[in-house]
Amino acid sequence: MTRVAVNGVTGQMGGAVIEAATDSEVVVGFATSDVDAVDGIPVVQPAEAAAALREYDVDVVVDFAVPEGAVTVAEACVEAGVPMVVGTTGFDEDGMGRLKDASEEIPLLKATNFSQGIQVLQRLVREAAGTLDDYDLELMETHHNRKVDAPSGTANSILDVIQEERDVEPVYGREGHAPRDEDEIGVFARRAGDIRGEHELVLAGNDEVLSLSHRAEDRGVFAAGALDAATWLVGRDAGWYAFGDVVDA
């Protein structure tokens, strides 16, 4: 079985990864929380990750933490020679640069979403945005009330796909006198309750509306996808990988 370390093990996604790890073994977790273990799994501070990766003979790290912690563990993975799957979002330019640097030494897979459905949605978005090139575009996402980054990483990935096909400028919400510009895309983030994740792109024009949407019913979807990515990543050459590489394999 693949021996996995989970960064952000005390969080909701960390717990989901532990629960989903039926074909892998979570042997250690990293977190800044003052706890010694989660579900019998030892918890180590991220600053001590390199030594723990060696001690517990880890094959791959799965990360759902915060940007600072993800970068710390990525650099520990470089030191220990361990691949890493990064699911954390909200990195600034420096953080992304340090992840890119790490990927020159180890296999590193970065994804904003580990759902196969989202991978298909992004491909449909590309086709729709390129084909209906004069339709208005609006992008909406909804997540639970504890999510701190907005728009979501997945919404930003969808926006990146759209901007590869069309020259549109995002407008993040509207207020007051705000007439719509021809070359804009409205981007809206909602936060409420325990919503797992919803994303919708609306294309409107020519007296018709096309809606492309995805809704996750359970965090286990993302946890299972991340574990699939982790198993796939073990033994790869150093480099920067995407979840689409796993889905297409």
Side-chain angles (χ1 to χ4, degrees), residues 109 116 123 228-229 231-233 236 242-249:
L109 189 150
Q116 294 189 38
R123 297 172 192 188
D228 287 344
T231 301
W232 180 89
L233 194 62
R236 303 280 169 180
F243 189 55
D245 299 326
V246 181
V247 175
D248 290 338

Side-chain angles (χ1 to χ4, degrees), residues 108-136:
L108 190 148
L109 189 150
K110 172 74 175 70
T112 58
N113 194 297
F114 290 94
S115 156
Q116 294 189 38
I118 285 289
Q119 291 298 312
V120 174
L121 176 66
Q122 290 179 333
R123 297 172 192 188
L124 295 173
V125 164
R126 183 180 301 279
E127 180 177 358
T131 302
L132 305 177
D133 56 3
D134 59 345
Y135 281 38
D136 292 335

Side-chain angles (χ1 to χ4, degrees), residues 175-188:
E175 183 180 10
H177 183 69
R180 194 183 202 285
D181 186 80
E182 180 180 353
D183 295 322
E184 76 178 43
I185 175 171
V187 182
F188 304 90

Side-chain angles (χ1 to χ4, degrees), residues 141-205:
E141 58 97 344
T142 308
H143 283 83
H144 55 83
N145 58 20
R146 299 167 303 284
K147 188 168 179 62
V148 295
D149 56 319
S152 68
T154 302
N156 283 327
S157 294
I158 293 171
L159 180 60
D160 288 342
V161 170
I162 293 167
Q163 289 182 310
E164 290 171 5
E165 298 297 322
R166 290 178 54 176
D167 185 16
V168 291
E169 188 68 26
V171 174
Y172 297 98
R174 299 189 180 91
E175 183 180 10
H177 183 69
R180 194 183 202 285
D181 186 80
E182 180 180 353
D183 295 322
E184 76 178 43
I185 175 171
V187 182
F188 304 90
R190 302 182 296 182
R191 299 289 177 263
D194 199 35
I195 297 171
R196 279 17 177 201
E198 299 177 359
H199 296 84
E200 180 182 19
L201 176 68
V202 170
L203 303 95

